[in-house]
Amino acid sequence: MTDFLVLASASKARVKVLTAAGITPLVWAADIDEDAVRANLVNATPAQVVTALAQAKARHVAQLITNTEQRRRECLHLNQVTLNAIARLEAGDRLAVMGCDSMLLLNGKLRGKPHTFERALAQIHELSGASPVLFTGHCAISLIRTKEGFNCEQEVHGYSQATLYFSEISTEEARAYANSKEPLEVAGGFTIDGLGGAFIDSIKGDPHGIIGISLPLARKLLNELGFFWPNLWKGLPNQALTDKVEL
């Protein structure tokens, strides 16, 4: 029996965290409308928002794995390694789809990716000397391979959080950091494992959740689904890397 972890994200940071922990995930980036998901949430807490987004990502990828026609329509440019590895699973083999989403609670507002220089710069100024809280939602869905295809088994979810204590950031430093473009496409507009790490004095809470995926929580959720974490300590099979296989 073979177990695989499918990461419903194209985040290089999340892949890096998992790889450093001995797990080579299959990458299948979820394509969801995050604004639409948030629009359907009424009076939701930060934890509920990031969890709902993580669920939407995991459910989207799980649906594509189980629905052949939808997968053929939407996955024309999917990583061939991922498709091949999943296609080679045999009846009885299981995989888990993991979706994650992070947002920063800063001055009473949830912040995602700034996207623009102006927003990033303004947010960096707000971060100076502040103690925001980063929430990371997680959702894991188990699937099993049958002779006919894949069936979803169970879904579990949770979230991690951490308080970050930022040092004072000068105007010149803030502009230089925004100009680096690093904060534009990361949750909260900063990184702890990159250029932004120098501006963070300390943290309280889950360190890996700040990067995008909590290893303790991921292990807990996968255990609930019946996966043995050490079984995931392996790379992809060599035959999954090149030859095209129909899923």
Side-chain angles (χ1 to χ4, degrees), residues 59-121:
R59 290 171 181 174
H60 177 71
V61 172
Q63 182 176 359
L64 290 176
I65 293 174
T66 58
N67 189 316
T68 303
E69 292 304 317
Q70 184 177 359
R71 181 173 61 249
R72 287 173 176 168
R73 292 196 305 270
E74 299 185 23
C75 303
L76 299 178
H77 306 292
L78 184 65
N79 186 323
Q80 196 62 48
V81 170
T82 296
L83 283 175
N84 286 353
I86 294 176
R88 293 181 188 277
L89 295 181
E90 299 177 351
D93 288 341
R94 302 174 74 227
L95 59 83
V97 176
M98 178 72 72
C100 302
D101 192 85
S102 300
M103 297 193 78
L104 187 73
L105 183 63
L106 174 63
N107 294 330
K109 296 181 180 179
L110 270 181
R111 316 297 179 92
K113 301 173 183 178
H115 295 305
T116 68
F117 169 85
E118 292 75 17
R119 290 180 181 174
L121 181 60

